[in-house]
Amino acid sequence: MTVAVLLVRAGLSASDEPSGTTAATATTTATRPTTTRRTTTAATTTAGTTTAGEQRFYTIERGDTFGSIAAEFDTTVERLRELNPEVDPTQLTIGQRIRVE
């Protein structure tokens, strides 16, 4: 690839390059992936009305534990176990949804 193509893919132009920075360096920096956490919310309904408490769910990602999830959502492992009695915290699988609130 040419330098111009790399710059375009990185969203840069030649004038955006600081002196001493190569296009390859700029591209590597610009395309570095970021980590995001995914949560979803669902309102609890009873007889057609929404209750005051919303349920929040989290999708398990690689490396997650109940401890790391509890820390991220400012709760305790015990609370996560109460909210998810059917989930074995030692057998979490990527893509699995658990309730966090």
Side-chain angles (χ1 to χ4, degrees):
M1 288 189 182
T2 66
V3 173
V5 172
L6 292 173
L7 288 172
V8 169
R9 285 191 178 176
L12 302 171
S13 68
S15 62
D16 291 337
E17 286 295 302
S19 61
T21 303
T22 65
T25 302
T27 301
T28 301
T29 303
T31 59
R32 190 172 297 144
T34 58
T35 303
T36 56
R37 296 294 201 169
R38 287 186 224 125
T39 60
T40 55
T41 58
T44 305
T45 58
T46 306
T49 60
T50 303
T51 61
E54 281 191 3
Q55 295 180 352
R56 288 181 61 191
F57 295 87
Y58 173 74
T59 303
I60 302 296
E61 296 176 355
R62 183 182 178 122
D64 282 338
T65 64
F66 263 25
S68 66
I69 297 165
E72 182 173 336
F73 289 96
D74 195 29
T75 189
T76 64
V77 170
E78 291 76 24
R79 181 63 180 147
L80 290 178
R81 287 184 178 178
E82 289 172 9
L83 294 171
N84 302 281
E86 71 287 353
V87 175
D88 179 353
T90 64
Q91 299 295 317
L92 298 177
T93 57
I94 296 171
Q96 179 180 14
R97 282 184 56 196
I98 62 166
R99 185 172 166 196
V100 292
E101 276 185 19

